[in-house]
Amino acid sequence: MEIPEINKDRLLRDLNAVSRIGLGEGGSVTRLVFSVHELRSRQLLVHLMNQAGLDVRVDAAGNIFGRLAGAREGPAVLAGSHLDSVVQGGRYDGPVGVIGALEAVRAIKESGVPVPAPLESVCFVGEESSRFGFSTLGSSLVAGDVTMDDFANAVDAGGNRLEDVLSSLGIYRENLDSLKRDPETVKAYLELHIEQGPVLESKKKKIGVVTAIAAPSRFRVVFRGQADHSGTTPMEMRKDALVAAGHLITYIDEVCREHAATEKGRVVGTVGAVKVEPGVINAIPGRAEMQVDVRSITSGSKRKVAGLIKKRARRIARERGVKVDLMTIRDEEPVAMHPGVIALIHALCEERGVPFEVMPSGAGHDAMQMAKITPTGMIFIPSVNGVSHNPTEWTDPEDICLGTQLLVEALLRAAHAEI
Ligand code: GLV
Ligand code: MN
Ligand code: MN
């Protein structure tokens, strides 16, 4: 079979164009879900898909599907990722997979090689949890594995509720299911993504064949003490909510390190956001809210550590005379990639003589959701210095091109194969 070649200049040019949207200090990129910048990036994608002559469909949530008809109608092979970003993130987390998929489908279309099944290049809305604490929003809706109740604790820093934002898009409890994609219409899902970690670079490998994704457990912890005068209140009479939070943050770091040292199933834990009230220099904090993110490839280890953290939060509250509320944001199972798709990518790397590593993903991806409805796999490319969610996030353009070229072949093989 003739293998269509990607247009490297066009791929890198379009990636550059996306990274200029939401560009900030030090080359950082901020495109929070449903912000003007994120919307602009999705508009650009729709434009590029139209220009490429794909059949474009945008659902009510803003998920975008650019379809190339196959020789036969039937289930499509999908490839994509997301265009939203964290606050002050980098240029490649997400866009590499979206623009890479677009380029792969464009190259296949232009080459005129016969494709038995339809191909779709996809952009999922709201993969990052940076705004609402809720990740993989668009792909969860497409996979149909979410209810309005799951959004109960999804609120942004400005107090906007995700549920209200969705209702402003015409998405309600009653019609949430209409966003679900019929699994019968999907043959497989592939996601090209930067590794966001140091493994490929340190092992001098070009491609990561992903075996499983460490889905997060996330919860909000709110300590409620008493706001009081910072000058007049004796130390022993304080109910300082932030001090309680501080003890818990230290415990989370310790328990994850201990777990890594003593048990199988590495667990990582992070408190990435803390909100303090009243938040002034001369008042004792009366309220401290923290967002906790715990991840592991091993479900049992993750649950165990999350349970220990919650238990410790209650103990700290008792000891310090404050109240504590614990609210689940999302609790997900680690997800295995499909053996057939893993084998397909593995074989491709071997045949092409590309140095590869078979590895799990520590970061979350839309592939976690798509794996619930279709055979799914991921292709990683190296991250320079392993850095991500940071303005210095970088991947060598040659590696982006290599990953995209492999995606072309992976799409064609998935379209031809019984998976
Ligand atoms: C997605 O980037 C995540 O937080 O894992
Ligand atoms: Mn990310
Ligand atoms: Mn990502």
Side-chain angles (χ1 to χ4, degrees):
M1 181 176 54
E2 180 207 338
I3 308 300
E5 264 189 45
I6 61 160
N7 180 331
K8 294 182 182 180
D9 291 341
R10 182 174 61 186
L11 166 66
L12 299 174
R13 182 198 66 194
D14 290 346
L15 264 173
N16 261 326
V18 170
S19 67
R20 276 187 226 110
I21 306 173
L23 196 61
E25 229 177 281
S28 66
V29 171
T30 304
R31 285 191 301 268
L32 286 177
V33 59
F34 301 134
S35 66
V36 169
H37 285 134
E38 190 251 357
L39 187 60
R40 272 283 301 115
S41 68
R42 283 190 277 127
Q43 282 173 336
L44 171 62
L45 180 67
V46 168
H47 168 71
L48 294 172
M49 285 177 167
N50 278 322
Q51 221 173 31
L54 304 181
D55 265 337
V56 183
R57 180 173 73 86
V58 183
D59 73 13
N63 294 311
I64 302 166
F65 306 85
R67 185 170 169 108
L68 173 66
R72 289 190 293 276
E73 271 310 301
V77 180
L78 273 52
S81 195
H82 60 99
L83 288 178
D84 66 316
S85 79
V86 300
V87 174
Q88 292 182 358
R91 49 167 60 198
Y92 292 143
D93 170 6
V96 154
V98 173
I99 303 298
L102 168 65
E103 179 54 37
V105 175
R106 277 191 301 214
I108 292 169
K109 180 172 189 291
E110 284 169 357
S111 74
V113 295
V115 188
L119 303 179
E120 290 184 33
S121 112
V122 183
C123 171
F124 292 112
V125 77
E127 188 271 352
E128 298 288 1
S129 43
S130 303
R131 179 167 175 196
F132 292 103
F134 194 94
S135 64
T136 61
L137 171 67
S139 48
S140 298
L141 291 165
V142 168
D145 191 38
V146 74
T147 68
M148 273 295 174
D149 294 335
D150 296 323
F151 303 137
N153 296 318
V155 184
D156 74 6
N160 300 296
R161 289 154 31 92
L162 178 54
E163 197 175 336
D164 294 336
V165 176
L166 290 175
S167 69
S168 76
L169 298 171
I171 302 170
Y172 311 102
R173 188 177 290 273
E174 306 75 64
N175 65 11
L176 199 63
D177 271 358
S178 64
L179 288 154
K180 182 174 161 47
R181 178 100 182 218
D182 177 357
E184 296 291 314
T185 68
V186 188
K187 188 172 183 202
Y189 174 71
L190 301 168
E191 185 163 347
L192 173 69
H193 206 284
I194 55 169
E195 179 202 341
Q196 310 182 269
V199 175
L200 294 176
E201 186 182 63
S202 65
K203 295 194 170 180
K204 299 196 173 11
K205 300 289 170 68
K206 287 293 178 192
I207 292 291
V209 182
V210 179
T211 51
I213 303 176
S217 289
R218 288 172 164 155
F219 48 96
R220 218 179 280 275
V221 182
V222 181
F223 287 107
R224 294 174 210 279
Q226 188 169 321
D228 222 328
H229 198 292
S230 68
T232 59
T233 318
M235 293 310 285
E236 67 280 8
M237 292 176 72
R238 294 173 179 223
K239 291 182 175 163
D240 188 325
L242 184 58
V243 172
H247 281 283
L248 188 61
I249 292 169
T250 306
Y251 176 74
I252 291 170
D253 187 68
E254 283 168 3
V255 75
C256 292
R257 284 171 197 267
E258 269 168 33
H259 194 90
T262 57
E263 300 198 36
K264 280 212 226 101
R266 193 174 70 103
V267 179
V268 290
T270 308
V271 177
V274 179
K275 210 159 93 186
V276 182
E277 290 173 20
V280 291
I281 195 170
N282 56 351
I284 295 164
R287 183 179 187 280
E289 175 181 328
M290 48 200 267
Q291 293 179 30
V292 186
D293 171 300
V294 184
R295 309 194 197 198
S296 176
I297 289 289
T298 316
S299 179
S301 303
K302 186 177 70 159
R303 294 260 146 72
K304 181 174 165 197
V305 168
L308 287 170
I309 293 169
K310 290 175 185 171
K311 196 166 150 200
R312 181 58 69 102
R314 291 189 196 98
R315 185 171 129 193
I316 291 169
R318 268 198 313 279
E319 287 173 358
R320 308 206 68 90
V322 300
K323 293 198 162 49
V324 68
D325 291 319
L326 297 161
M327 285 160 281
T328 299
I329 300 175
R330 211 161 187 203
D331 189 16
E332 295 208 85
E333 287 294 326
V335 180
M337 298 293 91
H338 189 277
V341 184
I342 295 174
L344 184 155
I345 301 167
H346 194 280
L348 198 51
C349 292
E350 277 188 334
E351 287 167 35
R352 298 286 163 249
V354 177
F356 66 95
E357 179 76 10
V358 176
M359 61 189 293
S361 167
H365 300 288
D366 291 306
M368 297 182 318
Q369 304 305 334
M370 293 306 284
K372 295 172 184 170
I373 60 163
T374 194
T376 291
M378 292 193 74
I379 301 172
F380 275 177
I381 51 176
S383 291
V384 171
N385 297 323
V387 175
S388 185
H389 286 185
N390 180 303
T392 63
E393 173 183 285
W394 188 253
T395 293
D396 191 296
E398 277 308 312
D399 292 341
I400 295 173
C401 293
L402 174 67
T404 306
Q405 186 60 49
L406 282 180
L407 183 62
V408 168
E409 272 197 82
L411 277 167
L412 289 173
R413 288 189 186 197
H416 278 95
E418 284 293 322
I419 295 175

mmCIF file of all heavy atoms in Angstrom, residues 93 127-129 196 218 295 363-364 389, ligand 1:
data_model
loop_
_atom_site.group_PDB
_atom_site.id
_atom_site.type_symbol
_atom_site.label_atom_id
_atom_site.label_comp_id
_atom_site.label_asym_id
_atom_site.label_seq_id
_atom_site.Cartn_x
_atom_site.Cartn_y
_atom_site.Cartn_z
ATOM 1 N N ASP A 93 0.679 20.491 24.364
ATOM 2 C CA ASP A 93 -0.203 19.565 25.089
ATOM 3 C C ASP A 93 -1.614 19.697 24.513
ATOM 4 O O ASP A 93 -2.316 20.662 24.815
ATOM 5 C CB ASP A 93 -0.159 19.914 26.589
ATOM 6 C CG ASP A 93 -1.218 19.170 27.403
ATOM 7 O OD1 ASP A 93 -1.911 18.296 26.847
ATOM 8 O OD2 ASP A 93 -1.340 19.473 28.607
ATOM 9 N N GLU A 127 -10.552 19.300 27.759
ATOM 10 C CA GLU A 127 -9.841 18.139 28.336
ATOM 11 C C GLU A 127 -9.211 18.497 29.676
ATOM 12 O O GLU A 127 -9.131 17.686 30.581
ATOM 13 C CB GLU A 127 -8.770 17.641 27.353
ATOM 14 C CG GLU A 127 -8.107 16.331 27.777
ATOM 15 C CD GLU A 127 -6.887 16.494 28.662
ATOM 16 O OE1 GLU A 127 -6.421 17.635 28.853
ATOM 17 O OE2 GLU A 127 -6.394 15.494 29.182
ATOM 18 N N GLU A 128 -8.724 19.737 29.768
ATOM 19 C CA GLU A 128 -8.000 20.135 30.986
ATOM 20 C C GLU A 128 -8.984 20.435 32.123
ATOM 21 O O GLU A 128 -10.065 20.967 31.892
ATOM 22 C CB GLU A 128 -7.148 21.385 30.715
ATOM 23 C CG GLU A 128 -6.069 21.198 29.666
ATOM 24 C CD GLU A 128 -4.906 20.332 30.154
ATOM 25 O OE1 GLU A 128 -4.920 19.855 31.306
ATOM 26 O OE2 GLU A 128 -3.974 20.139 29.352
ATOM 27 N N SER A 129 -8.517 20.159 33.330
ATOM 28 C CA SER A 129 -9.368 20.399 34.498
ATOM 29 C C SER A 129 -9.087 21.750 35.137
ATOM 30 O O SER A 129 -9.577 22.043 36.223
ATOM 31 C CB SER A 129 -9.124 19.286 35.509
ATOM 32 O OG SER A 129 -7.743 19.026 35.613
ATOM 33 N N GLN A 196 4.923 14.416 28.009
ATOM 34 C CA GLN A 196 4.786 15.248 29.212
ATOM 35 C C GLN A 196 5.602 14.705 30.382
ATOM 36 O O GLN A 196 5.320 15.020 31.545
ATOM 37 C CB GLN A 196 3.321 15.397 29.639
ATOM 38 C CG GLN A 196 2.395 15.825 28.509
ATOM 39 C CD GLN A 196 0.959 16.019 28.947
ATOM 40 O OE1 GLN A 196 0.175 15.087 28.879
ATOM 41 N NE2 GLN A 196 0.600 17.209 29.397
ATOM 42 N N ARG A 218 -10.086 13.009 42.196
ATOM 43 C CA ARG A 218 -9.964 14.424 42.572
ATOM 44 C C ARG A 218 -11.027 14.805 43.582
ATOM 45 O O ARG A 218 -12.185 14.425 43.431
ATOM 46 C CB ARG A 218 -10.117 15.302 41.335
ATOM 47 C CG ARG A 218 -8.891 15.192 40.462
ATOM 48 C CD ARG A 218 -9.086 15.875 39.170
ATOM 49 N NE ARG A 218 -7.789 16.078 38.552
ATOM 50 C CZ ARG A 218 -7.600 16.206 37.261
ATOM 51 N NH1 ARG A 218 -8.623 16.182 36.456
ATOM 52 N NH2 ARG A 218 -6.402 16.395 36.776
ATOM 53 N N ARG A 295 -3.190 10.287 41.662
ATOM 54 C CA ARG A 295 -3.202 9.437 40.467
ATOM 55 C C ARG A 295 -2.318 8.206 40.630
ATOM 56 O O ARG A 295 -1.297 8.250 41.306
ATOM 57 C CB ARG A 295 -2.687 10.217 39.253
ATOM 58 C CG ARG A 295 -3.352 11.555 39.050
ATOM 59 C CD ARG A 295 -3.039 12.078 37.686
ATOM 60 N NE ARG A 295 -3.322 13.508 37.577
ATOM 61 C CZ ARG A 295 -3.456 14.132 36.414
ATOM 62 N NH1 ARG A 295 -3.329 13.469 35.287
ATOM 63 N NH2 ARG A 295 -3.695 15.429 36.384
ATOM 64 N N ALA A 363 -0.229 11.182 32.755
ATOM 65 C CA ALA A 363 -1.196 12.268 32.542
ATOM 66 C C ALA A 363 -2.520 11.699 32.046
ATOM 67 O O ALA A 363 -2.558 10.610 31.466
ATOM 68 C CB ALA A 363 -0.647 13.255 31.520
ATOM 69 N N GLY A 364 -3.586 12.438 32.259
ATOM 70 C CA GLY A 364 -4.904 12.037 31.758
ATOM 71 C C GLY A 364 -5.076 12.471 30.305
ATOM 72 O O GLY A 364 -4.418 13.414 29.846
ATOM 73 N N HIS A 389 2.785 21.367 31.035
ATOM 74 C CA HIS A 389 1.967 22.305 31.838
ATOM 75 C C HIS A 389 2.879 23.454 32.289
ATOM 76 O O HIS A 389 2.856 23.872 33.446
ATOM 77 C CB HIS A 389 1.300 21.611 33.035
ATOM 78 C CG HIS A 389 0.147 20.732 32.623
ATOM 79 N ND1 HIS A 389 -0.660 20.089 33.522
ATOM 80 C CD2 HIS A 389 -0.349 20.428 31.405
ATOM 81 C CE1 HIS A 389 -1.602 19.400 32.876
ATOM 82 N NE2 HIS A 389 -1.425 19.596 31.585
HETATM 83 C C1 GLV B 1 -4.116 16.544 31.729
HETATM 84 O O1 GLV B 1 -3.269 17.237 31.230
HETATM 85 C C2 GLV B 1 -3.925 16.080 33.050
HETATM 86 O O2 GLV B 1 -4.111 16.870 33.982
HETATM 87 O O3 GLV B 1 -3.503 14.921 33.190
#
